[in-house]
Amino acid sequence: EQLAAVELGLTTTYRCPKLVVELAQKIVPDFHAAPSAPEGVITVIQAVQVPQHVKPGDFLLSRTNAPLVKTCLSILRAGIRAKIEGKDIGKGMVALVKKLKPKSIPHFLEKLRTWEHDMVARALKAKREARAEQIHDQAETLVYLAEGMSGVPALEKRIFELFDDAAGTPVVVCSTVHRAKGLEANRVFILRDTLRPRFSKGPNAKPVSSEERNIEYVAITRSKGELIWVDGDPRD
């Protein structure tokens, strides 16, 4: 007896559940769930609720680093192990701290704001909005990391410990969407308010670009089971 072959295109996913695929289809219409895919779950929570819901093994995704750091610190304060993907990001931030040559945390924050103001102004003058957003994100991230630190050495130590590539003991993996490409988890939390660029908001905002829609698509399709939208800015 011959079995009828079912032809599946390259756009058929065996990883994502049907509800996640339906969401992704709004961005990439030619994307389909495998017939055997589970239904999946999509829920919505508020940013302040993340520590109550997240557990080791989960992914927490954000477009930028500052809200990721703020949320990761709240998870750690709740007694849950968490790391931020990107040793090179941590090294870059420590390099900036050293470059500013601060004598104390207040002195560091003062010099950081001056650096941010000058660099953002320069980037916007050159019409490099993406670079301006990157500079702002880096400065805001360092402000959050400096909270409660006794001195500059303690700040540098915190950066190295937090920005580490997760390995070994199960942890909540906090990552930018860019770094999550090719990765997957059963439960994925997405900081929804971060999916739009800071400098593209407001009455004169440009239409959402295909690149930004692709970032959202990548974030959505990391989930193998449950997708949790996180609403509200964790920095508020």
Side-chain angles (χ1 to χ4, degrees), residues 79-224:
I80 303 165
R81 290 179 58 85
K83 291 282 187 182
I84 298 178
E85 286 285 307
K87 283 186 178 180
D88 56 326
I89 297 175
K91 288 178 181 177
M93 289 190 177
V94 169
L96 176 57
V97 173
K98 292 184 182 299
K99 178 183 176 182
L100 296 178
K101 298 179 180 178
K103 298 174 183 176
S104 64
I105 294 297
H107 186 226
F108 164 68
L109 293 174
E110 181 183 333
K111 298 193 80 170
L112 178 66
R113 285 309 185 195
T114 300
W115 172 85
E116 179 192 9
H117 180 270
D118 293 346
M119 294 295 288
V120 165
R122 190 181 305 175
L124 291 177
K125 186 177 180 181
K127 297 183 178 179
R128 298 178 63 196
E129 288 85 359
R131 174 60 180 153
E133 185 187 19
Q134 183 183 38
I135 293 163
H136 174 78
D137 182 45
Q138 188 174 25
E140 196 173 15
T141 298
L142 282 165
V143 169
Y144 293 134
L145 289 167
E147 286 182 5
M149 292 294 96
S150 58
V152 177
L155 169 60
E156 293 178 359
K157 184 172 183 286
R158 171 183 256 187
I159 294 170
F160 278 129
E161 288 178 348
L162 197 58
F163 281 87
D164 195 5
D165 293 325
T169 308
V171 298
V172 176
V173 178
C174 302
S175 173
T176 60
V177 178
H178 175 73
R179 286 182 174 272
K181 285 182 180 179
L183 302 179
E184 58 187 35
N186 286 322
R187 298 208 313 160
V188 175
F189 293 72
I190 303 174
L191 302 183
R192 180 151 50 181
D193 286 5
T194 71
L195 294 178
R196 297 290 175 265
R198 168 187 168 82
F199 290 96
S200 71
K201 296 178 181 178
N204 299 318
K206 299 175 184 176
V208 177
S209 70
S210 58
E211 181 183 359
E212 289 153 17
R213 294 290 282 167
N214 184 56
I215 289 171
E216 186 172 347
Y217 169 78
V218 171
I220 290 169
T221 56
R222 296 312 92 203
S223 172
K224 296 195 298 179

Side-chain angles (χ1 to χ4, degrees), residues 11-32:
T11 53
T12 299
T13 177
Y14 287 87
R15 178 181 68 239
C16 301
K18 291 173 183 175
L19 284 177
V20 169
V21 169
E22 284 178 19
L23 195 60
Q25 282 175 334
K26 295 178 182 179
I27 304 169
V28 180
D30 190 22
F31 186 64
H32 307 281

Side-chain angles (χ1 to χ4, degrees), residues 13-75:
T13 177
Y14 287 87
R15 178 181 68 239
C16 301
K18 291 173 183 175
L19 284 177
V20 169
V21 169
E22 284 178 19
L23 195 60
Q25 282 175 334
K26 295 178 182 179
I27 304 169
V28 180
D30 190 22
F31 186 64
H32 307 281
S36 59
E39 192 67 16
V41 178
I42 297 178
T43 55
V44 181
I45 64 172
Q46 295 301 306
V48 294
Q49 297 176 298
V50 170
Q52 302 165 32
H53 291 269
V54 81
K55 59 187 179 183
D58 293 344
F59 277 5
L60 175 74
L61 303 180
S62 169
R63 183 177 176 277
T64 50
N65 280 301
L68 198 64
V69 165
K70 188 72 172 178
T71 310
C72 187
L73 291 173
S74 72
I75 293 169

